[in-house]
Amino acid sequence: MKAKDKKRSGEAEIKMEDKKTMNTLKARLGKENYRKLIRIDNPKLHQFIAKYVELCNPDKVFVCTDSPEDIQYVRQEAIRAGEEMELAMEGHTVHFDGYYDQARDKKNTKFLLPPGVDLGLNINAMQREEGLKEIHDIMRDIMREHQLFVRFFCLGPLKSEFSIPAVQLTDSGYVAHSEDLLYRSGYEEFVRLGQSARFFKFVHSAGELDERMTSRNINKRRIYIDLEDETVYSVNTQYGGNTIGLKKLAMRPAINRASKEGWLTEHMFIMGVHGPSVGVTYFTGAFPSLCGKTSTSMLPGETIIGDDIAYLRKKDGVIRAVNPEKGIFGIIQGINSEDDPLIWKTLHSPGEIIFSNVLVTEEKGVHWIGKNEAQPKKGFHHSGEWTPGKKDAEGIEISLSHPNARFTLDMRHIETLDTELDNPEGVAIGGIIYGGRDSDTKVPIEESFDWVHGVITMGAALESETTAATLGKEGVRKINPMSNLDFLSIPIGKYIENHLNFGMELKNPPPIFSVNYFLRDADGNFTNDKTDKAVWLKWMELRSHREVEALKTPTGLIPKYEDLKKLFREVLDKEYPEKDYIEQFTVRVAENLARIERVEEFYKTKVPDTLQIVFEVLKEQKQRLTLAREKYGDYISPNKLSFTKKV
Ligand code: SPV
Ligand code: MN
């Protein structure tokens, strides 16, 4: 065939394909939904939707625009179908995930990789063709008797260079409703972008539901990520971390895209810290789940842009960041009126909030572990009717609420929402924080010597004890680079290299800090109060403008006692005895050395593409610690550090 004829026949094929797509959509969507969909001029989008409508075979399809009526319809459907129940407080609803579907399922979350692509040992992957076949087989007719919601969102502010449009297909009203609270509506953005939209795609089905409206076939729970096609499939699960496409599922293709384009997708909050002389300074902070990330970003007196995910780009030699989200899917356990006044108030005010896996009381209120009110004697939750002492099928006592129980809300309900949330240019970042759950090694707050030292010893070496946010055993130490390991879609070595390079062209890289809210003393008690983090933030803000000095230890720069004493008084109106300072900031040499060895072992054995500089910087840290030990012993009080230098 001549080239011209070939082209012509190719065009004809596309026309045929388009026609077939349009006929399917017309037949399956009905007039009104079809009309809404074709306002978006994007044949690839149409084909994608037609393909999954045919495969999953829902009874009904609803195309949701940005109109308040459409959005309200989704919420009502979640309630009508029984996936959410209304609570006494106006706007509040509750949703339950299945008893064994309460957290991110790392085992069944896999990348589908074409031949020749390898993401390394730590990243769960399988052969692309095989995975696509498996998931498509599971998806066949999976939405029968369900309604399919077609949703359009924009990850990040509208009309911004940072942002990524995304389409979600889901048969869960709960998932679709959650996304309304968490993401910016994007139907009009899709209309505006038409064929130029480079969009992510998500297909989710809760699968067959039992009488309690929870996924029945969790043995066939699968979350498969196809990077080539920037599509994520999630089936037979309802837990938000497995299902809300735009949240953790979108992080995978976003990390991959960012790596190709020279920017970063991070598991980080963005918050404004308000200081005495500069006004507001924005910080990003990466913490593994359940390590105080949300509560830090919501500290009273500061302002929040996001609590979970950040896109970072370099612009004019400065890091700028946006939050792809606009809501919070936060952990509720432990929230109490004294430590978390702001979120407490929000959770007790009317307004749209979805509670998940909490205890519902007889009065249709909610209760959770750590709520500082009298505990109800009975209630209803993810295991059904509950009374204290109830045991599950394995004889394990069922707690009042699940440790990973959550609340979902739009941040506009939060008093301290920062005014820059929707700035298409993002905000300039003045400091970066890495936090982990560490009972015995790291000091509560420390600054790195420079960008490379921070990226390596605080970010790449981030280690944390596992929590209930993922299925599996709790309390096991795990290396979790930048707290982003669960979401990495590029080899770890390459990811660290991207971070190192990112700082290179910056005029003045922001300082990097590490925090540890979980240090314990010899008796096993926490050395800090939960509220102390407010002080660490103020200190970091001062440091980012070099308004206070710091003391040099073998592992970084720590606060001077006098500065903290003053800040504790100013911020918390609290006495800060020097003995507390010494307890908290004593350098625990043996523990630090052991930690570095674990980090080295991880990179040596599991990350073959680790850059040599990572090992060099870790080695230097070990040498500094060893030298200090020779002089001062295993536990070095900050007051004893005679080589301490003021910086
Ligand atoms: C986390 O676990 O890090 C979360 C909640 O932010 S989830 O959506 O499950 O990832
Ligand atoms: Mn998270």
Side-chain angles (χ1 to χ4, degrees):
M1 206 189 287
K2 283 191 194 140
K4 218 164 98 194
D5 292 342
K6 212 173 189 176
K7 190 168 167 240
R8 229 179 261 148
S9 104
E11 276 167 10
E13 249 171 58
I14 291 173
K15 285 238 168 75
M16 278 293 289
E17 184 67 32
D18 282 354
K19 218 167 176 188
K20 204 172 138 237
T21 297
M22 288 313 175
N23 285 339
T24 305
L25 291 174
K26 243 183 229 162
R28 301 293 302 244
L29 266 56
K31 214 166 154 192
E32 180 58 15
N33 287 299
Y34 178 76
R35 187 193 60 76
K36 290 190 221 170
L37 184 59
I38 58 160
R39 258 196 79 211
I40 303 171
D41 171 24
N42 192 318
K44 282 202 187 110
L45 173 77
H46 299 156
Q47 275 160 24
F48 166 74
I49 295 171
K51 176 174 173 181
Y52 288 97
V53 168
E54 281 207 307
L55 180 71
C56 302
N57 201 11
D59 279 6
K60 199 173 162 189
V61 181
F62 180 72
V63 174
C64 189
T65 69
D66 301 345
S67 79
E69 299 76 43
D70 279 9
I71 291 170
Q72 187 55 18
Y73 172 81
V74 172
R75 180 176 187 273
Q76 284 309 329
E77 284 300 288
I79 296 168
R80 189 197 55 79
E83 273 195 277
E84 287 178 39
M85 277 151 279
E86 284 181 294
L87 294 165
M89 181 88 71
E90 192 200 320
H92 292 196
T93 53
V94 64
H95 161 82
F96 298 113
D97 300 303
Y99 187 71
Y100 295 102
D101 191 25
Q102 296 281 321
R104 275 191 276 117
D105 179 1
K106 295 210 298 190
K107 193 169 135 264
N108 287 305
T109 302
K110 293 184 187 168
F111 288 98
L112 306 181
L113 301 183
V117 179
D118 182 8
L119 297 179
L121 291 173
N122 286 280
I123 299 180
N124 204 2
M126 73 186 291
Q127 231 263 321
R128 182 168 184 262
E129 287 312 313
E130 187 193 329
L132 284 175
K133 180 169 176 342
E134 183 194 349
I135 197 100
H136 282 81
D137 283 347
I138 298 178
M139 281 194 293
R140 182 155 304 115
D141 292 332
I142 199 169
M143 294 185 186
R144 201 179 268 164
E145 292 173 24
H146 292 185
Q147 173 168 207
L148 166 64
F149 301 93
V150 180
R151 307 297 321 264
F152 303 96
F153 296 101
C154 181
L155 287 159
L158 306 184
K159 300 183 185 166
S160 160
E161 168 190 3
F162 283 89
S163 302
I164 302 174
V167 56
Q168 168 89 58
L169 311 186
T170 177
D171 63 358
S172 163
Y174 160 69
V175 169
H177 178 207
S178 297
E179 289 181 332
D180 271 319
L181 306 185
L182 295 171
Y183 302 98
R184 297 162 177 95
S185 298
Y187 173 78
E188 292 301 335
E189 192 70 354
F190 266 86
V191 172
R192 184 178 77 80
L193 292 168
Q195 300 190 18
S196 71
R198 289 175 61 220
F199 57 99
F200 288 170
K201 307 186 263 313
F202 304 99
V203 190
H204 164 254
S205 173
E208 198 184 322
L209 300 174
D210 61 16
E211 59 293 342
R212 299 181 49 230
M213 295 306 287
T214 61
S215 298
R216 194 189 286 276
N217 302 318
I218 54 163
N219 59 328
K220 287 206 180 123
R221 176 170 56 199
R222 301 285 183 274
I223 300 107
Y224 283 180
I225 302 138
D226 181 5
L227 294 173
E228 271 201 349
D229 212 17
E230 298 192 318
T231 304
V232 185
Y233 308 94
S234 154
V235 293
N236 293 312
T237 171
Q238 286 167 304
Y239 171 70
N242 298 325
T243 57
I244 298 172
L246 285 91
K247 199 166 189 52
K248 292 314 192 323
L249 310 189
M251 276 186 81
R252 279 78 168 209
I255 288 172
N256 205 269
R257 212 191 250 196
S259 177
K260 288 179 189 145
E261 297 176 352
W263 51 280
L264 299 174
T265 295
E266 294 303 310
H267 192 204
M268 286 176 166
F269 67 57
I270 310 173
M271 68 183 293
V273 183
H274 297 252
S277 44
V278 182
V280 61
T281 302
Y282 292 100
F283 283 76
T284 59
F287 297 57
S289 319
L290 260 168
C291 293
K293 189 159 134 220
T294 301
S295 60
T296 304
S297 65
M298 291 188 65
L299 278 171
E302 316 299 5
T303 47
I304 177 169
I305 291 194
D307 84 317
D308 198 29
I309 306 168
Y311 293 168
L312 277 60
R313 282 178 183 261
K314 280 180 289 191
K315 286 188 168 198
D316 305 322
V318 173
I319 300 179
R320 298 194 72 90
V322 302
N323 179 9
E325 312 188 278
K326 58 128 180 146
I328 294 182
F329 176 56
I331 298 205
I332 203 162
Q333 174 167 318
I335 289 180
N336 65 77
S337 56
E338 276 154 36
D339 297 334
D340 317 278
L342 198 70
I343 187 68
W344 177 270
K345 192 172 161 207
T346 312
L347 295 179
H348 289 82
S349 309
E352 223 173 313
I353 302 178
I354 309 171
F355 293 88
S356 50
N357 309 317
V358 294
L359 188 79
V360 176
T361 63
E362 283 188 300
E363 299 77 37
K364 295 238 177 315
V366 291
H367 208 91
W368 57 82
I369 303 170
K371 182 173 183 179
N372 52 338
E373 278 178 0
Q375 182 181 313
K377 301 259 176 317
K378 61 176 179 175
F380 189 87
H381 73 175
H382 57 290
S383 80
E385 298 290 341
W386 178 87
T387 47
K390 181 177 178 185
K391 296 204 166 65
D392 68 12
E394 285 112 76
I396 298 165
E397 188 162 336
I398 304 173
S399 53
L400 175 146
S401 61
H402 194 275
N404 199 24
R406 293 190 176 248
F407 62 87
T408 304
L409 50 79
D410 187 317
M411 283 195 295
R412 67 167 187 256
H413 291 306
I414 294 172
E415 279 172 20
T416 58
L417 178 61
D418 195 278
T419 50
E420 294 297 291
L421 171 69
D422 287 319
N423 185 344
E425 301 293 320
V427 292
I429 298 303
I432 293 176
I433 308 168
Y434 292 107
R437 183 175 285 263
D438 170 4
S439 50
D440 61 7
T441 308
K442 285 181 69 78
V443 294
I445 170 81
E446 185 173 37
E447 183 184 334
S448 74
F449 300 129
D450 54 39
W451 179 265
V452 171
H453 179 251
V455 165
I456 293 172
T457 69
M458 295 174 178
L462 200 152
E463 184 185 52
S464 198
E465 290 147 21
T466 50
T467 67
T470 54
L471 299 172
K473 212 167 152 221
E474 291 177 39
V476 183
R477 281 192 232 256
K478 285 259 164 72
I479 312 282
N480 187 349
M482 283 77 179
S483 98
N484 216 355
L485 179 63
D486 289 355
F487 317 110
L488 286 189
S489 50
I490 53 175
I492 299 173
K494 167 79 178 144
Y495 175 66
I496 307 294
E497 187 180 347
N498 289 347
H499 270 264
L500 290 168
N501 290 341
F502 198 69
M504 295 307 167
E505 295 146 31
L506 299 174
K507 275 188 216 136
N508 195 5
I512 295 179
F513 301 91
S514 86
V515 295
N516 175 20
Y517 303 154
F518 302 94
L519 185 69
R520 292 176 192 261
D521 62 18
D523 300 325
N525 301 314
F526 286 118
T527 60
N528 289 99
D529 290 337
K530 260 175 97 176
T531 44
D532 291 355
K533 53 171 97 68
V535 170
W536 311 149
L537 280 180
K538 294 295 192 201
W539 183 77
M540 288 187 262
E541 192 276 337
L542 294 172
R543 282 298 296 162
S544 79
H545 307 292
R546 295 289 179 259
E547 288 178 51
V548 284
E549 292 178 326
L551 306 177
K552 190 171 179 188
T553 81
T555 55
L557 307 167
I558 60 168
K560 294 196 307 186
Y561 172 64
E562 310 82 82
D563 292 330
L564 287 186
K565 185 178 160 73
K566 190 162 165 265
L567 283 172
F568 267 93
R569 178 58 67 206
E570 283 170 11
V571 180
L572 299 173
D573 195 20
K574 203 164 112 176
E575 193 57 48
Y576 184 56
E578 191 165 12
K579 76 168 190 3
D580 286 6
Y581 171 74
I582 292 170
E583 167 102 65
Q584 293 158 14
F585 288 92
T586 286
V587 182
R588 302 172 178 214
V589 178
E591 287 86 343
N592 268 287
L593 284 170
R595 181 174 167 276
I596 299 175
E597 261 152 40
R598 291 192 296 273
V599 176
E600 283 175 336
E601 175 71 11
F602 173 82
Y603 281 96
K604 245 183 239 158
T605 57
K606 302 222 167 108
V607 189
D609 62 331
T610 305
L611 292 185
Q612 200 47 36
I613 187 166
V614 173
F615 296 116
E616 280 160 23
V617 169
L618 292 173
K619 194 166 142 208
E620 283 163 15
Q621 186 113 319
K622 273 207 300 200
Q623 282 165 347
R624 282 190 300 272
L625 283 160
T626 315
L627 262 171
R629 176 164 62 183
E630 279 164 19
K631 251 182 168 162
Y632 309 103
D634 254 330
Y635 293 92
I636 310 172
S637 158
N639 292 348
K640 283 225 191 88
L641 284 167
S642 61
F643 62 83
T644 289
K645 200 177 110 207
K646 292 185 174 163
V647 186

